[in-house]
Every structure is written in C-alpha cells, then in structure tokens.
Amino acid sequence: MRIRLAVLVGRAVRVVARLRGGGSAIPGNIALRIAPRFLEHALGGLPLGVVFVTGSNGKSTTTNMLVGVLRAHGMRVFTNPSGANLPQGIASALLASVPLDGRVRDDIAVLEVDEAYGVGLADRLAPTDLLLLNLQIDQLNRFHEPDRVYGMLERIRDAARRRVIVNAADLNTAALGRESRADQEVVVFDVAPEALAASPHGVAAAPRATPTGASPERPALPEASVVVLQVEGTMASIAVGGERASIALPARGLHYAVDAAAALATARSLLGAQFDRATAESAFAGLDTVYGRGEILDARGQQIELVMMKNPPSLQLNLDALGRVPQRVMVAVDEGTPDPSWIYDTDLSTLDHVDIVTGTKAWQWATRLAYEGIEVGAVIEEFPAAVDAFLALPEPSDGPKVAVINYELMMELRLRMGYLDLEGGA
C-alpha cells in the first residue's frame, strides 16, 4: 500500500514540477518519505542486476554511453538521467516509468551514483557490478582529500557482488581493483602510453591515496580488455578484445575516449558472447550529448560551446581539449563553486583573453586572470545581463563562442536559452 501511494503522490508532484519548467528531485524525496524502501522494492530482483557507475568525473557521459550500447544490443535498461545521482534523484527517475506496483520491468539497471551517497546506496541496493572511472582532485568543500574519497570507493567496491571494472590509467582505481575480494571478477580498461603522452595533462589522476586495507590475493591486475589507442578530434581508436574499433565521441578530448573505453569494457563484460563490436560502434554514433559535456547550445541563433568546470580536472581537461584559442569567451561562476581558489593550479594557456566574466565569483576569476596576464574585457556580475552582452558580441570566424561555466550557471543558461529538459528531470 505504501509503495502504491508513493508512486501516485510522487507522480502528481512530478507533473506539477515539470509544468514549472524542468525536473526536480522533490517527487523522489516525497516518494521516499512515504515509502523509505521504495528504491529497494523498485530495483530488487532485476534479471541482470544493478550496475553502479561512479568516480570523480565522467559519470554522466559514461552512463549515457553504456546504456546506449546495451540498448543497441536489445537489452531493456533502466537508468537515471545525468545529474540525478542521489537517492531522491534516482527515485524521481523511477516515478517516470514504474507501474503502480513500483517494480521496474527492465532487464538491468545502470545507475550513475555520487561517490559520497554511493556508500549508502550500495548498502541498500547491493549492486552486482561496479564501474570505477577515476579518482581526481574534486570539490574541496565536499570531499576534502582524495584519501577520503578512496575510502568511499572502497566501501562501494566491497558491496559489489559480482564484478569490478577499473581504470588502469588511474593509480587509485587500479589499486581498488588489485585490493578487491578474491571472489570479485576484475575487468580492466586502459590508455596506451602514446595516447597519454599526447594529452597535455594526461588523465589528471589524483596522487595515489593511502589504501585503508590490502588484499594479498590480487597482486596484479588482469590484462586490459579495452585500451584507448589514439584520439583525433571527436574520434577515438580503441582496441576492444584485441579488435580495433572507431568510436565517435561526444566532444574532443582524451577524457571522453576514456569514458568510452569504460563503457565498452563494462558492456562487453555484461553481454559476454552477445557483444558485437559493430553494434557498439553504431550505438556511439547515434548517442546524444549529455548536458554541458561538450554540448553546443543554439542560443538565439548563435552557437555557444560549453566548457564545464565542476572541479579542477574537469576544467583542465576540457580546456586542453578545446584545440584552439577561442575568439569569444565568457567565464561564468557562481556560489555553486564555493571555493574557486583551486583555479590558481589550473593551466589557462588555452586562453589569451576573456571577453566577459560573470557570476558571484566574477571578481575572484578576474583577479586570477589578471595574475596570468589574460586581458578581461568586462566584469558583469549579473548573469542575465552578461549573457545578453556576450550574445551581442560579434560572432567568431573559427567556430562557436565559448562559455567556461560551472554546473549551476550551465543549467541556468540552458533554461534561459529555452532548454526546458533540465538535467535530472525525470
């Protein structure tokens, strides 16, 4: 009875939330208040279990890729929209599809999971498989030191009942694979040395964290089943089980190729003999770009390329991948980035000027740019006025305008440009 009530009330709230423009975690919050075990009920008993995708960066993109490949192979997959990676976000996503009995009818669930909340979710949902993408320097206000996140990922790993998929190019996820339980299958994806060397800052992995425990049963990782060989523009050459695949990426950059390798390694493990390389290649070619991750917005007839800055590595790798010095640049940062002091460690050499700096952190960014000798055209703290001024600038001759932007203002910009399908709005 509680489950049925949770679905009915949650759906009603969801309709109201979407009429306001976009989605919300409120429906999921309400459903969980009515039925605290709503998630366990909905996702328990799936034929192929539950897959968690977690790590510092790349969760949304990799989840999107993995789901696309599995669906291309005919698998019925439940997933949460990118960004809806907390319990209430997953619950909101469930309300969009479950029948009144509250049980998912798909073959498998692939869930993007926040590292901190993933510990509790792992205890509740007991994932069958865990994909560990990376451990990078993250939001200091949330995660503090990488060692703390390592401990979170350890606990999530220990809850995985069948398989752990790890990134050998990241020292910390590699260690998490080596230190896994003897009864856990470990699957490895990697990056060829030549591809790493071609990226100015590699994969931006954090220094090796101090492990809280070690298992002598696993002295070495298995050979990588999927390896990134080369990245050229938005195409990656990736070896999958020894066969070379040409994979279309959502945007430029080695980090997107690593996400693709992670998705391929996981899909190959889940599908077994049913995995088909050509089908996977076709799936990548047809994928939509995830919000803000290499996305190019149509903004009142102009194009704006979004360069996200969720944390230091995401900003650095996205700047590295620009491939050019942009002619028109706006930097937009608000209170969603509580402490932007980490920008003093960021290599900003891709930029030779910034036209407009905006948001509540505008003057902090303007100061950082001044130290770097990068000229700032104008500081306009009010975001709506800054967007209007940016769009009024002459259009560049070499591609779209570029917005270096944090997550919260990225969402506001999308809304202002008429993109009402807000992230996490299931």
Side-chain angles (χ1 to χ4, degrees):
M1 183 61 184
R2 276 184 172 272
I3 295 294
R4 185 178 294 265
L5 181 62
V7 173
L8 287 171
V9 174
R11 279 187 178 163
V13 174
R14 178 175 176 272
V15 170
V16 174
R18 292 180 74 83
L19 288 174
R20 291 178 14 241
S24 171
I26 295 174
N29 250 326
I30 291 174
L32 289 171
R33 284 182 178 273
I34 295 171
R37 294 185 60 81
F38 177 53
L39 296 179
E40 296 93 320
H41 176 86
L43 298 169
L46 290 176
L48 298 178
V50 177
V51 179
F52 276 14
V53 179
T54 195
S56 300
N57 282 308
K59 296 184 288 291
S60 297
T61 297
T62 305
T63 299
N64 185 51
M65 291 172 170
L66 175 57
V67 170
V69 173
L70 293 178
R71 286 176 174 166
H73 283 82
M75 194 175 287
R76 296 175 302 159
V77 185
F78 169 79
T79 190
N80 49 330
S82 58
N85 58 17
L86 307 184
Q88 59 268 31
I90 297 171
S92 288
L94 285 164
L95 291 170
S97 59
V98 294
L100 286 178
D101 68 3
R103 289 194 181 277
V104 171
R105 298 293 196 268
D106 297 309
D107 300 314
I108 193 170
V110 176
L111 303 179
E112 173 191 339
V113 173
D114 176 86
E115 304 94 288
Y117 283 86
V119 174
L121 281 168
D123 290 340
R124 295 172 66 175
L125 299 179
T128 47
D129 300 82
L130 170 65
L131 170 53
L132 289 169
L133 294 170
N134 46 53
L135 200 166
Q136 299 172 326
I137 303 295
D138 212 333
Q139 303 164 55
L140 300 180
N141 58 300
R142 282 197 68 204
F143 294 111
H144 312 308
E145 296 297 328
D147 296 58
R148 183 167 180 257
V149 182
Y150 191 98
M152 296 173 185
L153 297 181
E154 266 190 321
R155 292 176 61 186
I156 300 171
R157 177 205 62 194
D158 290 344
R161 293 184 286 122
R162 178 172 58 195
R163 184 182 293 120
V164 180
I165 303 99
V166 299
N167 178 3
D170 184 297
L171 291 173
N172 287 293
T173 56
L176 286 162
R178 284 195 301 272
E179 296 156 10
S180 61
R181 297 194 316 269
D183 65 331
Q184 289 175 318
E185 179 189 356
V186 177
V187 174
V188 177
F189 60 98
D190 203 353
V191 181
E194 299 79 11
L196 272 176
S199 175
H201 296 90
V203 292
R208 175 75 164 90
T210 303
T212 59
S215 173
E217 288 87 357
R218 289 198 182 274
L221 287 175
E223 182 180 355
S225 61
V226 176
V227 180
V228 177
L229 302 175
Q230 186 179 18
V231 182
E232 290 188 7
T234 58
M235 293 298 298
S237 177
I238 300 178
V240 183
E243 294 186 335
R244 188 179 289 256
S246 295
I247 300 298
L249 305 177
R252 300 176 301 273
L254 175 64
H255 50 311
Y256 287 112
V258 176
D259 294 343
L264 287 164
T266 308
R268 188 170 179 267
S269 298
L270 292 168
L271 290 163
Q274 296 178 6
F275 178 83
D276 179 74
R277 178 179 54 79
T279 300
E281 287 179 329
S282 178
F284 275 91
L287 286 177
D288 292 330
T289 303
V290 178
Y291 304 80
R293 285 78 171 180
E295 185 180 23
I296 297 179
L297 294 183
D298 183 346
R300 302 174 193 165
Q302 300 183 41
Q303 289 190 324
I304 298 180
E305 182 174 354
L306 301 181
V307 175
M308 280 271 282
M309 58 162 95
K310 290 183 71 175
N311 50 32
S314 75
L315 173 59
Q316 188 66 75
L317 294 175
N318 285 328
L319 285 175
D320 290 348
L322 275 175
R324 71 187 193 284
V325 177
Q327 291 182 10
R328 293 283 178 259
V329 189
M330 176 175 69
V331 172
V333 190
D334 69 355
E335 298 301 326
T337 305
D339 177 13
S341 63
W342 49 260
I343 59 176
Y344 283 86
D345 289 331
T346 302
D347 176 4
L348 301 176
S349 58
T350 307
L351 307 176
D352 64 359
H353 79 288
V354 171
D355 295 287
I356 295 170
V357 182
T358 185
T360 56
K361 304 292 186 182
W363 287 106
Q364 288 166 285
W365 257 94
T367 301
R368 168 69 179 100
L369 294 167
Y371 272 110
E372 195 72 19
I374 297 173
E375 182 180 352
V376 174
V379 176
I380 306 173
E381 291 184 74
E382 296 77 14
F383 186 61
V387 172
D388 290 341
F390 189 52
L391 291 175
L393 294 173
E395 293 191 50
S397 60
D398 69 339
K401 294 179 177 179
V402 171
V404 180
I405 192 166
N406 72 342
Y407 180 89
E408 289 73 16
L409 288 182
M410 178 272 291
M411 297 301 290
E412 183 174 341
L413 178 61
R414 296 185 85 261
L415 184 59
R416 288 185 176 279
M417 294 302 110
Y419 292 78
L420 301 181
D421 51 335
L422 292 183
E423 189 170 24

